[in-house]
Amino acid sequence: CSLIYSSETSLFITTPYYVPTQSVQAAICAAAARGVDVTIIFPARNDDFAAGAACRSHYESLLEAGVKVHEFLPGLLHTKSMTVDGRLTLIGSANIDRRSFDLNYENNILLLDAETTATVHARQEQYLAQSRSVLLADVRAWGPGRRLANNALAILGPVL
C-alpha cells in the first residue's frame, strides 16, 4: 500500500490473482482518482476459476476510479510486477491477494533503479500489446448471473 500511495505519475501492475484486501483496493483506486496513470493487466483466462471471478468483481470500482484494466489474451499471465513512476520496481512471487500477504511464504524484491524499472516496464508494455481493454460499459453490461457469480466468489476472497 505504501508504494501505491507513493506513486505520483504512473503505476503499472501485472498479477495473475487479484483478490485484494480492502486497503490495497482503496490505495489503487485513490491513486487513479488523484491523477496517477494506473494500468493493471490480469489474465483473460485464469487457471483458478474462483480467483478469476473474484478478480472480475473488482473491475467496476477500479474502472470507476479511472484505473485502466486490461486482460492478457495469450494465456495465464503469471508475472507479478509493479512499476512506480519510472523509478521503482516491485517484482517477485507475491500475488495481490490475502493468501500471499498473510499465509504463504512469498518473496518480492524492491528495486530503486530507473534502468531496471525501464526494462520491466518495457516488458509490461509487451504484455499490454497482447491484451484487450476492459471498458466500464462492458462491465456494466454483464448480466445479473455473471455479477452474482463474481460477487459470490469474491466473498470467499480471504480463503482463495
Side-chain angles (χ1 to χ4, degrees), residues 11-26:
L11 177 65
F12 200 132
I13 300 169
T14 63
T15 186
Y17 309 110
Y18 184 77
V19 187
T21 60
Q22 246 184 337
S23 59
V24 169
Q25 179 77 358

Side-chain angles (χ1 to χ4, degrees), residues 3-85:
L3 282 178
I4 296 165
Y5 279 118
S6 78
S7 62
E8 297 175 353
T9 59
S10 65
L11 177 65
F12 200 132
I13 300 169
T14 63
T15 186
Y17 309 110
Y18 184 77
V19 187
T21 60
Q22 246 184 337
S23 59
V24 169
Q25 179 77 358
I28 291 170
C29 290
R34 70 174 187 275
V36 175
D37 181 14
V38 181
T39 302
I40 304 180
I41 304 176
F42 305 117
R45 290 183 319 272
N46 203 301
D47 64 342
D48 183 322
F49 172 79
C55 172
R56 287 186 294 278
S57 75
H58 297 285
Y59 281 14
E60 189 166 9
S61 61
L62 290 168
L63 291 163
E64 286 174 340
V67 175
K68 297 172 194 158
V69 175
H70 300 270
E71 291 182 333
F72 184 73
L73 297 171
L76 178 65
L77 175 61
H78 205 257
T79 302
K80 296 109 174 175
S81 65
M82 180 186 310
T83 55
V84 181
D85 297 339

Side-chain angles (χ1 to χ4, degrees), residues 123-144:
R123 184 65 175 138
Q124 290 173 319
E125 290 289 341
Q126 289 174 349
Y127 295 142
L128 186 61
Q130 300 175 71
S131 301
R132 69 172 171 239
S133 294
V134 178
L135 303 176
L136 184 56
D138 298 333
V139 173
R140 287 186 173 157
W142 290 347

